[in-house]
Each structure stands twice: as C-alpha cells, then as structure tokens.
Amino acid sequence: EILIGLVGSEMCIRDRPERMRKPLEDLKIVQTASWVPDQVIDNDDLSRIMDTSDDWIQSRTGIKRRHISKHENTADLASKTGQLLLEKSGWQAEELDLILVATMSPDAYTPSTAAIVQGKLQAKNAVAFDVSAACSGFVYGLAVASQMMSTGMVKKAMVIGSEVLSKLIDWHDRTTAVLFGDGAGGVLLEKVPVKAPTLLGLQLKTFGELSNELSAGMTSSGNTFPKPLTELTPFKMNGRAVYRFATHEVPESILQASAQNKLTLDQIDVFLLHQANARIIKQVAKRLKQPLEKFPINIAEYGNTSAASEPILLDECVEKGMIKRGDILALSGFGGGLTTGTIILRY
Ligand code: ACO
C-alpha cells in the first residue's frame, strides 16, 4: 500500500499507485493524551542556582517554566500517558499490537522503556520497543508504526514520546540547563477504512557526521575491568550549530515531505514543530512563507521536552479544539543524531 524509497540515509514515501488504493485503509489517530510532572521550575528558580535570568531565557528561547520530575522516571510518565490514552479511548490494553516509546532518556539500556510500559499496562499482546532519535523521535516512531501497520502486521498501535531529561542535565551548565523539561505525550493509531489517504508525506533524514553537535549520556569505551562503571556524561550541545541546522533543515524536510503527494504548504492546516526554541519556529514559519498562527507554540510552559514535545502539543491543540477531524497536520522534528523528520497526516 505504501511504497518506501530508500536513498542513502534518507527515507520517503513515493506516490501510491491508484490501483493499490482499493479497498483503502490507512492509519487514523484515534486518541491523543499527555502527562507532565507536577513540579514546576520557573526561570527565576534557575537564576537562583546559576548565572542566568528570566529575561535572557525568555528572549532567547521563549521558555518561562518547565516541569521537572521529582521521582517519576521516563517509563512512569509514558505509562501514565498510556493509561490516559486507554481511558480516553475506551480501548482495552490487550487490543494493542504495538507499543513504541520514543525517548533519549530511557530508564535503562535494557529493558526498553516501552517494555516497562507494556508490563505496567498489561498489554500482553503488544510487541514493545524504543525508538532513539532524540527530538525527532516521535516522528520516527510514527514512521515505524505506520510502516508496520501498512504491512498488516499491526492494526492497533500506541506511540508515546516520553522524556525525563532532567536526569541528564548538568545543573551548573547554564547553556543547556535552562532549555529542557520533562513530560510525555502520545497517540493511539488504528488501521481503518478511509475515504481519502491519511498518511500524506513522510521524510526522515539522519546526519551522523554531526553527531558530536549534541550528545547526552555518552559512555566511555575501553575496558573498565576491574574499575566500577563510569558515570554518564550530561547534555552537551553546540547551540549555535544546532540552531543553524534546524532553521535550514526543518523547512527542507517539510518541503520534501509535502512534495511527495504534491501538497502545497497552504493545504497544511497546522504545523506541529518540535518545541526547542520559539525563535527557531518563527524562523521556519518565515522561511516557509506561512502565517505564524499555523504554528502553535507551547514552549513557554514546558521548555524542550525532546521526543515528548510534539505529542504534548498535539494533545493540547486537540483538547482546545484547535485541531479538528479532517485537518492536515505536519509534524516536524529535529535533534540529536543529528536527525530531522516530518510526517504529514490527515487528522
Ligand atoms: N543565561 C545567560 N546567559 C547565557 C546563558 C544563560 N542561560 N546561556 C548562554 N549565555 C551567554 C553565553 O555565554 C554568551 O555570552 P558571551 O556573548 O559573553 O559569550 C551569550 O549568552 C550568547 O550565547 P549564545 O550561545 O550565542 O546564545 P544564542 O542566542 O545562540 O542562544 C541557544 C543559545 C538558546 C541555545 C540557541 O543557540 C538555540 O536555541 N540553539 C538551538 C538549540 C536546540 O534547538 N537544541 C535542541 C536540540 S533537540 C535535541 O535533540 C535535544
């Protein structure tokens, strides 16, 4: 049903031939949900422990506050989101065929965060694994789920972006500590009969040569015998380089995804961009010559929650009625890898 073109490190959907469209089935976002920790840390709280200010943080990033976990780990936030998804939709956990958790802050190297969530939800029929693509993770997760659904292997899927980034932050490093927050958001996807295709564009790209521009949790190689395990390294980021990368590559990714099915940007109702910096989002809107009103921004409340930022934003927009059935959405992320990814869906 969906033809995947693999060109080097780039992946995209080509036009789907008409003869393959009958009977037409495609993926539907059945439900959205999100969950963030209670504890709120505002910019003034940070300026009491490091040399920064509310004015600097707001003017450079748009962030006012962020939610920081006290005790919950990434799988806890993801499980709460998963529970909410089931409650809101009325689905039973056993109906799920697939649980994907996109995260760059997993609870452990193994088990996967998704496996912990599967256990907590008692979703015993679901296969579960994590997707690691940092802030592009949610789009990568949707891409993996959609491909598994297109083959018929999966009918009902839960895709969650969940992060407890606070555990990877050096709270003395003002260049990264002010940017990030914790949270989770997700969707339930189902393969259903549809009148018109819902998956309208998909573009993923990985830039491994830029992997050093953003890292967190690097481990040291080499023989540790008989020394104890070394500690993980905290967030490190070349902010200016990532800024330049995002403002160039995100518009490119959106343009390539929309071109696959000859969509014009005017046909896209809402652009849900990764919430890393309000300035980046404004710059992308400008480059695409699209009105800023089509780019909802909630970074003031949450900071950068990496793979969780787009599903949290999607859930907020759906709950507020800003996104309605039939709307065409472009979800676009960028981040560690470096990576970019855009998926265009009819909601
Ligand atoms: N408070 C006060 N001053 C600060 C702070 C702070 N928190 N951080 C840096 N500064 C200072 C710097 O030391 C510098 O001072 P100097 O001029 O005396 O050297 C000055 O502010 C300007 O620093 P810049 O780094 O040039 O500031 P810039 O305007 O580029 O903003 C920022 C920095 C916000 C990080 C920006 O570069 C950015 O948003 N980059 C993109 C980051 C991003 O999107 N990351 C997400 C990746 S997604 C993922 O995978 C996790």
Side-chain angles (χ1 to χ4, degrees):
E1 189 168 294
I2 297 169
L3 299 182
I4 301 299
L6 268 176
V7 189
S9 58
E10 204 171 337
M11 195 170 112
C12 59
I13 300 180
R14 301 225 183 93
D15 285 354
R16 287 176 272 187
E18 199 62 42
R19 64 185 163 74
M20 298 177 87
R21 285 196 183 155
K22 291 185 175 85
L24 187 58
E25 278 201 323
D26 219 338
L27 81 160
K28 178 184 177 187
I29 299 176
V30 173
Q31 189 65 61
T32 65
S34 57
W35 180 272
V36 293
D38 291 337
Q39 177 176 238
V40 173
I41 303 291
D42 68 19
N43 293 344
D44 290 333
D45 293 327
L46 291 181
S47 66
R48 282 191 275 278
I49 59 168
M50 65 186 81
D51 181 16
T52 190
S53 66
D54 178 47
D55 182 52
W56 192 96
I57 301 170
Q58 277 208 53
S59 62
R60 302 284 176 138
T61 69
I63 300 168
K64 293 183 180 170
R65 60 188 78 86
R66 70 285 293 142
H67 294 245
I68 299 291
S69 173
K70 272 188 181 164
H71 308 294
E72 295 160 303
N73 212 337
T74 304
D76 298 317
L77 302 185
S79 300
K80 293 232 168 86
T81 302
Q83 199 60 51
L84 274 176
L85 284 167
L86 295 177
E87 282 166 23
K88 287 169 84 174
S89 64
W91 282 17
Q92 301 302 310
E94 306 81 59
E95 293 175 58
L96 293 169
D97 305 310
L98 173 70
I99 298 177
L100 290 182
V101 175
T103 186
M104 60 173 282
S105 52
D107 287 27
Y109 293 129
T110 195
S112 69
T113 305
I116 301 172
V117 172
Q118 190 252 26
K120 287 194 180 197
L121 297 181
Q122 298 183 27
K124 57 179 193 285
N125 297 315
V127 64
F129 56 94
D130 290 354
V131 175
S132 174
C135 308
S136 307
F138 188 67
V139 172
Y140 277 53
L142 291 177
V144 172
S146 70
Q147 303 316 309
M148 290 177 79
M149 293 172 93
S150 75
T151 64
M153 183 181 177
V154 166
K155 193 158 168 53
K156 292 188 171 187
M158 177 182 277
V159 181
I160 292 174
S162 184
E163 304 283 10
V164 175
L165 299 174
S166 55
K167 68 189 175 191
L168 294 170
I169 285 169
D170 172 358
W171 290 102
H172 300 291
D173 176 8
R174 67 178 184 172
T175 65
T176 53
V178 303
L179 303 174
F180 299 102
D182 303 334
V187 294
L188 292 178
L189 300 174
E190 187 175 13
K191 196 175 173 190
V192 291
V194 288
K195 290 190 191 109
T198 53
L199 179 51
L200 302 173
L202 174 59
Q203 199 266 351
L204 308 177
K205 201 168 177 186
T206 302
F207 305 75
E209 71 280 10
L210 301 176
S211 57
N212 285 332
E213 303 291 21
L214 196 165
S215 68
M218 276 284 183
T219 54
S220 60
S221 59
N223 191 354
T224 56
F225 176 80
K227 292 173 285 182
L229 283 171
T230 50
E231 285 196 358
L232 301 180
T233 58
F235 252 105
K236 285 197 173 65
M237 180 174 66
N238 180 348
R240 283 184 196 180
V242 177
Y243 189 99
R244 274 195 304 275
F245 170 84
T247 51
H248 181 261
E249 292 299 336
V250 173
E252 198 54 37
S253 174
I254 293 171
L255 285 169
Q256 287 184 22
S258 57
Q260 287 159 12
N261 280 291
K262 301 185 178 61
L263 274 180
T264 66
L265 295 181
D266 292 341
Q267 288 175 285
I268 297 174
D269 297 294
V270 185
F271 295 85
L272 296 160
L273 265 49
H274 168 48
Q275 305 286 297
N277 186 327
R279 280 160 59 210
I280 293 176
I281 297 169
K282 287 172 189 164
Q283 194 67 30
V284 171
K286 198 168 156 194
R287 289 210 172 170
L288 294 176
K289 297 189 176 65
Q290 288 292 300
L292 196 54
E293 297 73 59
K294 287 168 78 170
F295 294 73
I297 300 177
N298 67 358
I299 193 170
E301 179 63 31
Y302 305 107
N304 177 348
T305 57
S306 191
S309 87
E310 286 163 62
I312 291 174
L313 183 63
L314 171 65
D315 183 47
E316 280 192 358
C317 291
V318 168
E319 288 293 328
K320 288 179 184 161
M322 288 165 61
I323 290 177
K324 297 180 193 65
R325 286 288 170 203
D327 282 354
I328 295 180
L329 316 178
L331 287 88
S332 190
F334 69 91
L338 298 180
T339 52
T340 55
T342 298
I343 189 163
I344 304 180
L345 291 164
R346 196 188 313 272
Y347 177 67

